Structures are given as structure tokens and as C-alpha cells.
């Protein structure tokens, strides 16, 4: 079998990411708050329905989407409006954004040191520098290797300037979560920490997704040369 033949399809990778982000239950149902998530790649379409949706309505939604066809990157699929109508029409909010595959090694150099959660000295350095948008117990867990680890950070002027942490994790894969202090945006720090984060999770499928209107986050993917997998559309009542 050739290397190309072994390469997963984009829709299969998007299916893995959907499971990583939403941690689907045994029936493949979403925990919410979204009622339906539609993943669209160039080579297919996948759908997950919330556990709170009745089995009857879920069946109708899945029947409708079974005949759906992929749409161009960032364009709603043909089945989206039908799903919205079944869920309640105009009262259903639609949002979405692109999804990318992070495949190490990824490199993005900046003229500052990137700290890593697998270096005890780096952990000791960042522990007392909790940014105000992190709750104390969350920061302690992060530093102790719990929820959100592994991570990569940049410290400037005695404060945390940027973080890439593990926003979601399952045995199948991990999703990157990034944050940059407003004082240090535009310097490539999000890209540099994301590149280092990717090195900390060998053997897993790694993903990076964002909302359609988050241009700064989408620029991170562009700077790193990440491969676009597709688009995740979310319908929420």
C-alpha cells in the first residue's frame, strides 16, 4: 500500500476532530449546547445531533443530511437550511468556522524563548504569573499537568504574553487553544506557541479550529501553513 493510500480522508479527520471537541456519547450524540453540528470537507459531510434532541427529530435530521453533498470551503452545505427549518427556523442561530490539521513538525520562529510544560523549570517560572482571564484553580491544574496540559507559553516583561494549551483531548486526538495578551498581539507569538505545543503530543491527530470572523486566529493557521480540513457548521436554538 502506498503512502498516499494510507492517508486518511479529510472527512475522516474532521470526524475525529468533531469527537475530540464535543466528546460524543456512545450514540454519537452531542452534549450541547449546539443542537446540530455539520462538518463539511471537500470529500464528504458528517453530522452529529445533540442528545437533547428527540429521537424522532434526530432521525429526520439524519435522514435529511444523509443525502447532503460537500460545499466549497466556507459555503453552507445544501442541507443546512433544511436542518435549520426542522429545528425551528429563524430562531436557530447558525455559526461556523474553518478547521485545520496540525501535523508536526511545525515551525515558526520568534526572537523570544518559548516555554514548555515538559520542562520543570519552565513550569516553576510561569506558575506565579497567572493571567487574569484564568481562574486560580484552572491555572494550578494547568501548571500541575492536569486539564489544559500540555502547553507552550511565552513570557515577556514578567507576564504571560501568549499560551497554546490543550483545549480538548481524547485518546484519538487533541485540539489547540490559543490566547495572546492584547499587549503582545501581532508578533507571531500565537503561531510560535502552537508550533511548540504540537511537538508535545506525538502520535496524536492534532487540530486547530476557529470561528469564521476571527481573522487573527485564522492568520495563525496561515502563518503555520496548516492544511485546511473543512468547515464546522453549528446550529443552536
Amino acid at each position: 500500500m502506498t503512502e498516499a493510500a494510507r492517508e486518511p480522508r479529510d472527512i475522516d479527520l474532521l470526524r475525529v476532530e468533531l469527537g475530540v471537541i464535543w466528546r460524543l456519547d456512545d450514540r454519537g450524540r452531542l452534549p450541547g449546547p449546539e443542537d446540530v453540528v455539520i462538518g463539511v470537507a471537500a470529500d464528504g459531510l458528517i453530522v452529529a445531533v445533540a442528545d437533547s434532541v428527540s429521537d424522532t427529530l434526530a432521525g429526520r435530521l439524519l435522514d435529511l443530511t444523509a443525502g447532503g453533498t460537500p460545499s466549497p470551503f466556507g459555503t453552507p452545505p445544501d442541507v443546512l437550511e433544511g436542518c435549520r427549518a426542522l429545528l425551528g427556523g429563524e430562531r436557530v442561530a447558525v455559526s461556523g468556522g474553518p478547521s485545520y490539521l496540525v501535523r508536526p513538525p511545525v515551525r515558526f520562529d520568534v526572537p523570544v524563548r518559548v516555554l514548555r510544560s515538559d520542562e520543570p523549570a519552565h513550569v516553576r517560572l510561569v506558575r506565579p504569573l497567572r493571567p487574569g482571564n484564568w481562574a486560580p484553580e484552572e491555572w494550578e491544574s494547568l501548571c500541575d499537568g492536569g486539564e489544559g496540559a500540555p502547553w507552550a507559553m511565552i513570557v515577556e516583561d514578567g507576564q504571560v504574553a501568549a499560551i497554546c494549551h490543550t483545549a480538548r483531548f481524547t485518546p484519538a486526538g487533541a485540539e489547540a487553544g490559543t490566547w495572546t495578551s492584547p499587549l503582545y498581539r501581532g508578533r507571531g507569538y500565537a503561531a510560535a506557541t502552537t508550533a511548540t505545543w504540537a511537538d508535545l503530543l506525538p502520535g496524536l491527530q492534532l487540530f486547530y479550529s476557529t470561528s469564521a470572523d476571527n481573522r487573527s486566529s485564522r492568520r495563525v493557521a496561515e502563518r503555520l501553513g496548516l492544511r485546511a480540513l473543512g468547515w464546522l457548521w453549528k446550529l443552536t436554538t
Side-chain angles (χ1 to χ4, degrees):
M1 183 180 292
T2 65
E3 190 67 28
R6 289 195 295 268
E7 185 73 14
R9 298 187 306 154
D10 284 356
I11 193 60
D12 293 329
L13 290 167
L14 205 58
R15 182 178 289 106
V16 173
E17 184 180 22
L18 195 153
V20 169
I21 295 175
W22 280 276
R23 297 172 182 166
L24 306 181
D25 66 18
D26 293 340
R27 296 196 299 162
R29 294 292 198 96
L30 301 163
E34 299 83 3
D35 294 280
V36 172
V37 174
I38 304 173
V40 183
D43 53 4
L45 181 150
I46 55 171
V47 178
V49 180
D51 184 57
S52 58
V53 174
S54 72
D55 289 346
T56 299
L57 179 52
R60 294 177 66 190
L61 289 162
L62 293 174
D63 287 344
L64 171 65
T65 56
T69 56
S71 54
F73 189 74
T75 302
D78 55 0
V79 297
L80 189 145
E81 280 306 317
C83 290
R84 190 180 190 189
L86 286 173
L87 289 167
E90 291 299 319
R91 69 185 183 88
V92 180
V94 177
S95 59
S99 171
Y100 304 89
L101 180 67
V102 185
R103 179 159 286 170
V106 182
R107 295 289 175 263
F108 191 86
D109 293 328
V110 291
V112 293
R113 180 174 58 162
V114 180
L115 308 177
R116 303 162 51 108
S117 58
D118 60 352
E119 293 284 349
H122 294 179
V123 177
R124 289 194 295 272
L125 176 63
V126 304
R127 188 182 292 276
L129 303 180
R130 177 179 63 86
N133 59 323
W134 288 73
E137 61 275 10
E138 291 174 338
W139 190 252
E140 284 302 309
S141 177
L142 186 74
C143 292
D144 289 338
E147 189 78 17
W151 48 260
M153 301 188 199
I154 290 174
V155 170
E156 284 251 62
D157 308 314
Q159 61 184 302
V160 174
I163 303 171
C164 181
H165 69 290
T166 308
R168 295 285 189 276
F169 178 89
T170 75
E175 178 84 14
T178 62
W179 172 81
T180 304
S181 166
L183 296 173
Y184 299 97
R185 291 174 184 168
R187 304 186 188 187
Y189 288 1
T193 53
T194 301
T196 298
W197 170 84
D199 285 340
L200 296 169
L201 289 159
L204 282 182
Q205 298 285 9
L206 306 179
F207 304 99
Y208 181 100
S209 62
T210 187
S211 59
D213 59 356
N214 192 337
R215 285 300 309 159
S216 61
S217 184
R218 295 178 69 175
R219 279 196 296 272
V220 171
E222 294 165 4
R223 282 172 159 170
L224 293 173
L226 303 184
R227 180 160 69 84
L229 291 177
W231 205 271
L232 293 170
W233 294 96
K234 295 175 280 191
L235 285 75
T236 310
T237 57

